[in-house]
Amino acid sequence: MAALNLNANLPVYIQWPDDAALTLIQRRRAYQPLFTRTRLHDQKQLWRGIARDIRNNHTFRPTRKQCREKWNALKAGYENLERLINRNPDDYPTRTPSLHDERFHQELSDEFWRVERKYLLFN
């Protein structure tokens, strides 16, 4: 009889080293023009390139999915901390900031990812 893996559907949380998280932000910034021109469905290659850049420069070895998830967590953390700093005028739910939220707040303060998406009509 096969053993059941009760943890199969649970998310796996990894601890990102600060230097790898900073490289993620820097690479995501560098790829921003490509993200604005690429449909969401087709962005896997961009995340694959970012993961490769991190693996080539650090001992940390994230997958493209882990890079995308960490990026989304960094953005959410930045937005949460902004709400807390600004006394949450719209009364959104907030949480206690993580160490990465605080460490990378300044690095994300230009909000470079907030640009209009420009889809190519003929891909």
Side-chain angles (χ1 to χ4, degrees):
M1 186 160 104
L4 292 176
N5 183 354
L6 299 177
N7 295 321
N9 293 324
L10 295 177
V12 176
Y13 296 100
I14 58 171
Q15 180 62 42
W16 278 67
D18 287 355
D19 59 343
L22 180 58
T23 299
L24 171 67
I25 294 167
Q26 292 168 340
R27 294 286 81 220
R28 180 57 182 77
R29 181 186 305 275
Y31 280 59
Q32 178 60 21
L34 294 171
F35 275 98
T36 62
R37 294 190 311 264
T38 305
R39 294 181 300 173
L40 288 174
H41 178 75
D42 297 330
Q43 290 180 0
K44 287 180 184 179
Q45 291 292 55
L46 300 177
W47 287 115
R48 201 169 275 126
I50 290 171
R52 184 180 50 248
D53 290 346
I54 293 169
R55 288 192 305 267
N56 288 341
N57 292 292
H58 303 281
T59 56
F60 185 65
R61 310 208 35 92
T63 65
R64 69 171 170 78
K65 182 179 177 190
Q66 289 167 331
C67 288
R68 188 187 71 236
E69 289 171 353
K70 180 61 176 178
W71 170 248
N72 288 333
L74 286 165
K75 280 192 323 181
Y78 169 82
E79 292 163 354
N80 176 70
L81 190 51
E82 278 293 296
R83 284 187 207 102
L84 293 171
I85 289 169
N86 294 311
R87 300 190 178 172
N88 200 11
D90 297 320
D91 204 29
Y92 285 110
T94 58
R95 59 174 173 74
T96 302
S98 73
L99 289 176
H100 275 181
D101 297 345
E102 294 173 356
R103 284 186 184 134
F104 299 114
H105 183 264
Q106 184 61 41
E107 186 70 28
L108 296 168
S109 65
D110 64 347
E111 301 181 3
F112 65 88
W113 64 92
R114 294 185 188 269
V115 298
E116 278 187 48
R117 295 198 50 77
K118 298 173 184 155
Y119 292 107
L120 298 175
L121 295 176
F122 303 100
N123 277 355

